[in-house]
Amino acid sequence: MKSILFLLLLTSTFVNTSYAQNDDEDLKKITVSDTILKTRNLLIPGPFDAQKALLKLFPGKYYNLTKKSGYQNELINWDLKTPNRKSYSDVNGEQGDLLFPFERGVATRLMNVMDFKDSTGLQYKVISFNHSEYDEEGLQTSRFTGGLLGLAKFALTKEGWKLRIFQPAIGGYGAFSNCPVPKPLLIGEDQYAFMIEHLNGGGGGPFFGALFLIAGTNGTYQQIMSAYGVKKTTGVDEEVPTSWSSEYSVPPSKKKYFRDIIVTTKGTYTSSDREGLPESVSAKIKPGKKGKYNITMRYIYKGSKGYEAQLPATIVVN
């Protein structure tokens, strides 16, 4: 009897664990209740497992395609029977807004886990996840479609990790339905926001970049800052290549929350190719000249308007 029970358990585990061993098999999805996108009470026992937490948030069909893909590729496929789709902005601006949940279903992937501790000793974790349209082969396609970002914050309590903030979708960033991994940025006392470094462009480049800051305000995560034209890579077909990149920082301040953010851009220019250059830099370039420049821009928080650039910027053109 024990051997029979063991065999049954082993068989069940094999069936439920994943993408089954047939490479030709289409990936499936599970239809779930629309309540998963609403305010929820969720407690995750320790030790914290981000992938299991994500599966609790989106209880669809889980696959681990890492071995097959040759890179880290875990996803959860799900759909809603009667979805109430909402529109979310895609910063690419090419294909229009993203309607979520997607019509064909959703593939949700964990991106990263961020650990924090405040001045009182409270520990919490923020997980970021990426939504793309369900695909039978687990692919992410369309260069000018961003990955739809979502965030969830868990705080450590005596009972376990309790869900504090859940934002299923925020906006579309990146390329090929793949959102860049958010990076934490301390913008106040025990106050972290998350920077997205977006980059996209045509095949072979050049690629142009922008910065987008996501923060928690009034119990939700939302975009509170955008800085365009902060990066350009060299393109393979450029006769006289130009490029620029940026760094951002939060200088010491007496402000308790939402401190100023400095974005410093440094790059090269040529008078024969001014694509993507700020007008303030382009206006200073003399015909037939090439050289270097840098821009220092301060962004100040303006309440409901989010962060706004303080003009004029400091510009040096050599």
Side-chain angles (χ1 to χ4, degrees):
M1 177 62 72
K2 288 184 179 180
S3 61
I4 294 176
L5 289 174
F6 176 80
L7 181 60
L8 289 174
L9 179 60
L10 182 63
T11 303
S12 175
T13 302
F14 178 82
V15 170
N16 291 327
T17 22
S18 99
Y19 187 58
Q21 308 299 314
N22 184 358
D23 287 347
D24 296 327
E25 180 182 344
D26 287 344
L27 275 62
K28 305 295 189 290
K29 57 185 175 180
I30 294 178
T31 301
V32 296
S33 170
D34 61 358
T35 57
I36 69 166
L37 301 180
K38 300 178 181 179
T39 303
R40 304 165 64 183
N41 293 318
L42 184 60
L43 189 68
I44 304 296
F48 187 83
D49 185 311
Q51 189 63 57
K52 290 181 179 179
L54 188 63
L55 194 53
K56 288 286 187 181
L57 293 171
F58 302 99
K61 182 67 174 176
Y62 166 77
Y63 290 95
N64 188 342
L65 306 181
T66 300
K67 185 176 181 180
K68 175 186 175 184
S69 303
Y71 57 89
Q72 186 64 34
N73 189 10
E74 295 180 75
L75 64 153
I76 302 168
N77 288 333
W78 56 277
D79 201 356
L80 299 184
K81 186 175 182 180
T82 55
N84 180 20
R85 294 188 175 88
K86 294 183 180 180
S87 177
Y88 294 89
S89 176
D90 185 339
V91 299
N92 289 287
E94 296 279 339
Q95 308 296 333
D97 292 341
L98 300 173
L99 294 178
F100 179 78
F102 304 116
E103 186 174 0
R104 296 184 65 247
V106 183
T108 299
R109 290 173 169 85
L110 176 70
M111 288 196 291
N112 71 340
V113 187
M114 295 166 278
D115 295 276
F116 306 102
K117 181 185 290 186
D118 65 21
S119 57
T120 69
L122 176 66
Q123 297 179 52
Y124 60 97
K125 296 179 184 287
V126 176
I127 65 173
S128 67
F129 42 90
N130 179 93
H131 302 298
S132 57
E133 191 169 35
Y134 161 78
D135 183 272
E136 292 86 350
E137 297 181 3
L139 301 177
Q140 291 169 276
T141 59
S142 179
R143 175 183 292 277
F144 292 104
T145 297
L148 186 57
L149 171 69
L151 293 169
K153 177 180 179 179
F154 295 84
L156 182 59
T157 67
K158 293 181 180 179
E159 295 78 21
W161 293 91
K162 188 173 183 180
L163 182 63
R164 294 295 192 193
I165 302 178
F166 177 44
Q167 199 67 38
I170 299 169
Y173 308 91
F176 294 106
S177 301
N178 194 350
C179 179
V181 175
K183 298 179 180 179
L185 180 66
L186 186 64
I187 61 171
E189 293 183 14
D190 296 330
Q191 182 190 25
Y192 279 89
F194 310 99
M195 190 69 83
I196 298 290
E197 299 183 52
H198 167 83
L199 189 67
N200 207 346
F207 304 127
F208 293 90
L211 295 172
F212 299 94
L213 190 67
I214 312 297
T217 59
N218 299 319
T220 64
Y221 285 118
Q222 56 188 288
Q223 180 182 305
I224 62 171
M225 178 186 134
S226 59
Y228 291 91
V230 300
K231 186 170 185 176
K232 175 185 178 287
T233 66
T234 56
V236 294
D237 295 327
E238 287 184 296
E239 294 183 5
V240 185
T242 61
S243 64
W244 54 87
S245 60
S246 299
E247 296 180 349
Y248 54 87
S249 62
V250 180
S253 171
K254 293 182 179 180
K255 294 181 179 180
K256 190 173 183 180
Y257 303 112
F258 298 105
R259 293 168 181 162
D260 297 354
I261 298 173
I262 304 296
V263 177
T264 303
T265 304
K266 297 180 180 180
T268 60
Y269 69 85
T270 174
S271 60
S272 61
D273 182 9
R274 307 189 187 198
E275 182 183 7
L277 278 174
E279 291 183 8
S280 54
V281 173
S282 184
K284 295 177 180 292
I285 300 176
K286 297 179 181 180
K289 295 292 183 178
K290 62 181 179 179
K292 297 181 180 181
Y293 75 91
N294 65 68
I295 302 174
T296 302
M297 181 73 75
R298 180 180 291 268
Y299 289 82
I300 300 175
Y301 187 67
K302 298 289 187 178
S304 60
K305 295 181 180 180
Y307 278 90
E308 293 185 347
Q310 184 182 44
L311 300 175
T314 301
I315 302 172
V316 178
V317 178
N318 298 320

